[in-house]
Every structure is written in structure tokens, then in C-alpha cells.
């Protein structure tokens, strides 16, 4: 049986901090916003790829989570209306804490950086096809962990 998780509006930067950071444009012309402090890892090389996703309809189902224990992972929307960010912390044994799953609808004007080791669902766009640039440091064979989970149904008020 599927457990329902409410798709929430995007959290504040402070509320999302245990899971990573949002990528936003600077507030003023001529400024730069830097996000590289979470990214580089000694011995790993940067890998940049793009993806193309069909839209998910709400309610959506999540049946698998992933994490990358050695490197953060950044998703930068190239052509996205809105997308779903689903995260959860780890239990003491390292498995995902499914009682604390959070899911958010994020506007396509913001990116996200998942911190090292954060359990998250794969990229899922809403409303229309979408594309992201994905930046991650790679080089360790054990940096992709996937966990099948009992299905979670993501639903929101704006569905």
C-alpha cells in the first residue's frame, strides 16, 4: 500500500539546509552567486551532463531513492516550468528515513544542490517536458546508491 506525502511549496533556504542548497540568481545586477563550496571532492573529477524528462502528473509515485555518499549533485534547470524535489535524512544504519520524507514543488527558475549522502528521488518535472544540466564530481565506483522503497504518493493542493 502506498503512503501519501504532501507536495509542499518550496521551503526556505534555512529549512532545506540539512539536505543541500537552492541555486538562485543574485539579487542585484553585476553580482555573482557562488555555490562551489559543496561540490569539489579530492580525487574526483567534475562531470556535467544534461537530461530530458517527460512530465509527471500529480499525484506522482516515488518507489526508489538514491544518494551519493562522496559528492554533492547539482541540478540546474535549462528549460523547466516546475519540478519535484523529494528528500529524506538517513537513519543510523544509513538507510533512508521514510518517516521524514519531504517533497516540494520548485520553480524552474531555481536549481538545487543535494548535499553528499542525502537521499533523494530522481529528477521529475511537472507541467511539461523539461531539461536540466547536472553537475557532479565522479570517480568512485561506490558513489551511486539506490534503494527501492515502499511506494510514496506525492500529491499537492495545486495538482
Amino acid at each position: 500500500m502506498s503512503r501519501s506525502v504532501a507536495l509542499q511549496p518550496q521551503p526556505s533556504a534555512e529549512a532545506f539546509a540539512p539536505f543541500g542548497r537552492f541555486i538562485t540568481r543574485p539579487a542585484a545586477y553585476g553580482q555573482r552567486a557562488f555555490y562551489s563550496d559543496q561540490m569539489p571532492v579530492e580525487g574526483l573529477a567534475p562531470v556535467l551532463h544534461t537530461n530530458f524528462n517527460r512530465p509527471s502528473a500529480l499525484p506522482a509515485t516515488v518507489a526508489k531513492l538514491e544518494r551519493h555518499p562522496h559528492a554533492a549533485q547539482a541540478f540546474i534547470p535549462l528549460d523547466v516550468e516546475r519540478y519535484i524535489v523529494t528528500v529524506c535524512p538517513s537513519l543510523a544504519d544509513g538507510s533512508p528515513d521514510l518517516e521524514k520524507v519531504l517533497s516540494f514543488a520548485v520553480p524552474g527558475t531555481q536549481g538545487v544542490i543535494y548535499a553528499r549522502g542525502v537521499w533523494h528521488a530522481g529528477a521529475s518535472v511537472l507541467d511539461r517536458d523539461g531539461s536540466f544540466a547536472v553537475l557532479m564530481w565522479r570517480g568512485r565506483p561506490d558513489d551511486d546508491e539506490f534503494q527501492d522503497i515502499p511506494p510514496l504518493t506525492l500529491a499537492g493542493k495545486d495538482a
Side-chain angles (χ1 to χ4, degrees):
M1 174 178 236
S2 180
R3 185 168 72 87
S4 186
V5 175
L7 187 63
Q8 304 172 28
Q10 180 179 351
S12 67
E14 294 78 23
F16 193 73
F19 306 105
R21 294 174 64 186
F22 287 109
I23 301 169
T24 59
R25 70 178 188 201
Y29 294 109
Q31 289 183 338
R32 294 180 182 180
F34 291 89
Y35 296 92
S36 53
D37 59 323
Q38 287 189 342
M39 298 303 292
V41 177
E42 189 174 326
L44 303 181
V47 174
L48 176 68
H49 72 268
T50 59
N51 63 22
F52 188 53
N53 298 290
R54 292 189 188 278
S56 294
L58 294 175
T61 301
V62 172
K64 182 180 284 193
L65 294 175
E66 64 181 88
R67 74 174 177 173
H68 311 285
H70 304 295
Q73 186 178 40
F75 284 81
I76 303 159
L78 295 176
D79 183 19
V80 174
E81 185 71 27
R82 294 181 306 155
Y83 63 105
I84 300 172
V85 168
T86 301
V87 293
C88 72
S90 296
L91 293 168
D93 67 359
S95 64
D97 186 348
L98 299 178
E99 296 302 314
K100 295 183 181 173
V101 170
L102 298 173
S103 193
F104 307 96
V106 179
T109 56
Q110 293 189 310
V112 65
I113 301 172
Y114 295 117
R116 291 179 204 165
V118 168
W119 289 103
H120 61 279
S124 184
V125 298
L126 296 168
D127 309 315
R128 62 178 174 80
D129 291 349
S131 183
F132 294 90
V134 182
L135 177 62
M136 187 175 173
W137 266 245
R138 307 290 282 177
R140 293 191 180 164
D142 63 342
D143 202 31
D144 290 316
E145 293 183 17
F146 297 93
Q147 178 78 46
D148 290 325
I149 60 171
L152 299 172
T153 300
L154 309 178
K157 293 183 177 100
D158 61 347

